[in-house]
Amino acid sequence: MSELLPLAIDNLLSPIILFFVLGFGAALLRSDLSVPEAFAKAMALYLMLAIGFKGGVELSKQGLDWSIAVILVAGAGLSFVIPLVAYTLLRTFSRLGQADAAAVSAHYGSISVVTFVAGTEFLTLLGIGFEGYMVAVMAIMETPAIVSGIWLARRELNGGGDRAARARRRSLVDRDLMREIFLNGSVVVLIGAFVIGWITGPRGFDAIAPFIDAPFKGVLCLFLLDMGLVAATRLRGATELTVNLVLFGLAMPVIGASFGLTVGWALGLGTGEMALLGLLCGSASYIAVPASMRLAVPEASPGIYLTLSLAITFPFNLTLGIPLYFSVAAALSSP
């Protein structure tokens, strides 16, 4: 833990973080710098494809066994439970209503792919290895949090109106929601690329390495430049955040990460895997979950849940969270 400050400084001075800071600062200063939306979506697609494919290749090298299955189940369980903790904290320490608290909680149980990628790059810079199955853990942790958040929101929200109206609304939302959850672009690309990498293995990786490997860091820098622009713009326009909500956005990642690190330690994971599990539990979704909450809980305000996840928690994890979780993982895994 004594090495936390040097690790944090090294992380802050890495190219991907500095490009995020550049975009964040440019937006705060109201520069006209911008990244076309279509190009930003293409970069996100590339990053998810690349990380999914690489993870599948790594899993093909080591094979799938019961120990990995246990870790996958643990990841899914954490994704479902963490929103319950977040919801309790929000209802206790903030004035958020049930719908808003449930929607925010779902974001903090799910994961941020870009935060995960930044964490893997941080480990790579330190020369710390990690197993490819962590990509599968990441993919499986998106959906349970959505289910948990919807359950929290609907416990009382379905109580209003006549029974027929509630049934019609529930049927329509459920049909669209299931499509959004399981056929969401990020989920399809992540899982699909992972399966392709698993099937084709190292030979498949060698065939497309110039596309899937070499450009990865450069694309990540450009994507984080755009994320900096979006995060600062979202923060600048925030009108619904209170001090307690901002404190929640800074504290909840640490609380969630502590769950992941504890479970990782109990399962005997290595330093790299434990740090990434902590990072996944401490991150907050800003792609899949907002789309799902828009369908399932339209009463909730995007100005609250999206601003918290993207403008508060995302920058915290990129700058301080990643080295903090790694330091704890290193301490827990040391003899």
Side-chain angles (χ1 to χ4, degrees):
M1 293 296 289
S2 61
E3 298 180 354
L4 178 58
L5 182 59
L7 284 174
I9 293 174
D10 287 344
N11 187 51
L12 288 170
L13 295 179
S14 67
I16 59 174
I17 303 302
L18 290 177
F19 272 103
F20 177 84
V21 172
L22 174 62
F24 196 91
L28 286 182
L29 295 173
R30 300 182 184 276
S31 167
D32 63 356
L33 175 65
S34 64
V35 176
E37 184 178 354
F39 184 59
K41 288 182 177 180
M43 289 192 294
L45 183 68
Y46 170 82
L47 291 173
M48 288 184 285
L49 186 150
I51 193 68
F53 186 84
K54 290 178 186 177
V57 170
E58 290 301 318
L59 184 60
S60 74
K61 293 178 181 178
Q62 65 189 51
L64 182 64
D65 55 31
W66 282 107
S67 62
I68 296 176
V70 169
I71 298 170
L72 292 173
V73 171
L78 285 165
S79 178
F80 186 85
V81 169
I82 289 175
L84 306 181
V85 177
Y87 181 83
T88 301
L89 292 174
L90 285 168
R91 295 289 277 170
T92 304
F93 297 107
S94 78
R95 297 182 178 179
L96 287 187
Q98 181 182 347
D100 284 321
V104 171
S105 300
H107 286 68
Y108 284 85
S110 189
I111 56 92
S112 162
V113 176
V114 179
T115 307
F116 177 84
V117 174
T120 62
E121 289 301 307
F122 176 78
L123 292 177
T124 300
L125 287 174
L126 294 180
I128 305 296
F130 55 91
E131 300 292 348
Y133 63 73
M134 290 306 300
V135 178
V137 176
M138 173 184 64
I140 206 170
M141 286 181 69
E142 275 206 299
T143 302
I146 297 174
V147 176
S148 183
I150 293 170
W151 176 76
L152 288 168
R154 287 184 174 173
R155 285 187 306 164
E156 295 173 14
L157 289 179
N158 281 334
D162 63 88
R163 183 177 301 178
R166 294 199 306 270
R168 287 195 300 271
R169 179 179 179 275
R170 185 161 54 244
S171 176
L172 175 62
V173 170
D174 285 351
R175 186 168 58 251
D176 291 341
L177 182 64
M178 290 306 102
R179 184 182 302 110
E180 187 66 44
I181 291 175
F182 295 107
L183 295 180
N184 181 277
S186 60
V187 175
V188 171
V189 171
L190 267 175
I191 297 178
F194 183 86
V195 172
I196 292 171
W198 187 17
I199 293 172
T200 58
R203 181 179 298 180
F205 179 81
D206 292 340
I208 60 172
F211 168 75
I212 210 79
D213 193 38
F216 184 84
K217 291 184 179 179
V219 174
L220 181 59
C221 287
L222 278 173
F223 187 76
L224 282 172
L225 172 68
D226 180 56
M227 285 292 96
L229 291 168
V230 173
T233 301
R234 174 66 63 175
L235 186 61
R236 228 177 44 214
T239 59
E240 301 176 271
L241 293 189
T242 64
V243 173
N244 282 354
L245 286 177
V246 172
L247 291 176
F248 171 86
L250 297 174
M252 191 60 213
V254 179
I255 295 171
S258 67
F259 277 82
L261 291 166
T262 301
V263 170
W265 172 79
L267 293 176
L269 300 185
T271 301
E273 295 79 24
M274 195 189 309
L276 289 178
L277 184 59
L279 180 59
L280 287 171
C281 291
S283 64
S285 172
Y286 55 83
I287 298 176
V289 178
S292 299
M293 290 299 109
R294 187 172 63 249
L295 287 172
V297 194
E299 300 88 347
S301 171
I304 297 176
Y305 59 68
L306 198 51
T307 303
L308 273 176
S309 63
L310 183 56
I312 304 296
T313 298
F314 182 62
F316 170 79
N317 275 329
L318 281 186
T319 54
L320 300 176
I322 291 173
L324 173 62
Y325 310 148
F326 168 76
S327 297
V328 175
L332 290 173
S333 60
S334 61

